[in-house]
Amino acid sequence: MFEFLHQKVNETIKITNEEFEFAKTLFIPKKLRKKRFLLQDGDVCLYTTFVERGLLRSFTIDDKGNEHILQFGLQGWWVGDLYSFLTEEPSEYNIEALEDSELLLITKSSWDLLLDEVPAFERYFRTLIQNNLIATQRRLMGTMSTTAEERYHKLLRDFPDISQRVPQHMIASYIGVTRETLSRLRSQMVSGN
């Protein structure tokens, strides 16, 4: 179950087999069925999670009952609420499996131990957090400065199979439009307008 994690780690840092074997002892393998929650609003995020297989979404629900999707967690991605994980404050997010998923969970104490014992992992997680910050800033700027059509095209360009794996209302939520607006965009794409 650790093959994809090993591959993704080796794309960023070089570690020995012994270091990776030690790292494996700190993770908790978990299978999460479709429509089950890894984290719910109001709970403390006890784990940061690597997606070995499957698909999850991180989202919040506003006072009017509208869902706002922050992230889709695809194979090879990390999901969690970093703020809640680091501070032990209750999370504002829900993380739900959209497909049956195989996950690798690590607790804060195990994460700290990993960073202490295998310093290369500190560089690995620093790189991930930096890349996440850059992606978040770009997404925020895109939300403020691009059209819904441009955001939809970017999503399809970045994740070509997303429309086969995720219901359209969730795609609409992710790009910040209503279902009706997304339906109109898709119709315009089909008709070539």
Side-chain angles (χ1 to χ4, degrees):
M1 185 175 199
F2 289 85
E3 296 80 17
F4 204 60
L5 175 63
H6 197 193
Q7 176 188 330
K8 296 304 280 185
V9 167
N10 276 323
E11 288 174 7
T12 306
I13 61 171
K14 296 301 175 216
I15 59 171
T16 66
N17 286 337
E18 293 77 23
E19 289 170 326
F20 189 73
E21 288 301 315
F22 172 73
K24 283 170 54 175
T25 68
L26 302 175
F27 284 89
I28 304 163
K30 180 175 181 63
K31 291 185 179 189
L32 191 65
R33 303 289 257 171
K34 181 178 180 174
K35 297 188 180 183
R36 299 285 182 194
F37 286 87
L38 180 65
L39 176 67
Q40 290 189 281
D41 177 11
D43 292 343
V44 173
C45 184
L46 300 176
Y47 311 98
T48 191
T49 302
F50 182 79
V51 182
E52 269 285 322
R53 187 183 67 77
L55 175 64
L56 293 86
R57 68 177 176 140
S58 176
F59 68 101
T60 188
I61 300 173
D62 67 22
D63 294 338
K64 296 178 183 172
N66 299 312
E67 286 185 5
H68 302 280
I69 297 179
L70 177 69
Q71 170 189 15
F72 292 112
L74 301 139
Q75 179 179 355
W77 286 42
W78 289 85
V79 295
D81 178 347
L82 188 60
Y83 176 77
S84 176
F85 179 71
L86 295 175
T87 65
E88 299 181 358
E89 297 278 327
S91 178
E92 297 178 4
Y93 301 106
N94 300 286
I95 301 176
E96 177 188 26
L98 298 178
E99 298 173 352
D100 289 349
S101 299
E102 294 178 7
L103 312 171
L104 296 172
L105 286 60
I106 190 166
T107 64
K108 176 71 168 71
S109 59
S110 291
W111 192 60
D112 289 338
L113 180 61
L114 178 61
L115 301 183
D116 287 342
E117 296 295 322
V118 187
F121 267 100
E122 188 150 5
R123 188 170 63 255
Y124 171 74
F125 282 108
R126 179 177 40 83
T127 301
L128 287 180
I129 291 168
Q130 288 171 335
N131 290 342
N132 179 269
L133 175 60
I134 292 164
T136 300
Q137 288 175 334
R138 287 184 175 166
R139 180 154 178 240
L140 179 60
M141 285 306 299
T143 299
M144 294 187 295
S145 63
T146 61
T147 66
E149 182 177 3
E150 289 168 329
R151 292 192 304 274
Y152 183 57
H153 282 295
K154 180 174 180 359
L155 178 67
L156 296 180
R157 204 173 39 250
D158 292 347
F159 309 103
D161 69 339
I162 198 82
S163 62
Q164 284 80 48
R165 297 176 72 187
V166 174
Q168 294 304 305
H169 73 276
M170 290 184 191
I171 290 174
S173 170
Y174 181 81
I175 64 171
V177 299
T178 64
R179 293 178 200 186
E180 294 78 17
T181 299
L182 180 59
S183 179
R184 202 167 34 255
L185 286 173
R186 294 182 66 203
S187 294
Q188 290 170 352
M189 286 174 60
V190 170
S191 67
N193 292 334

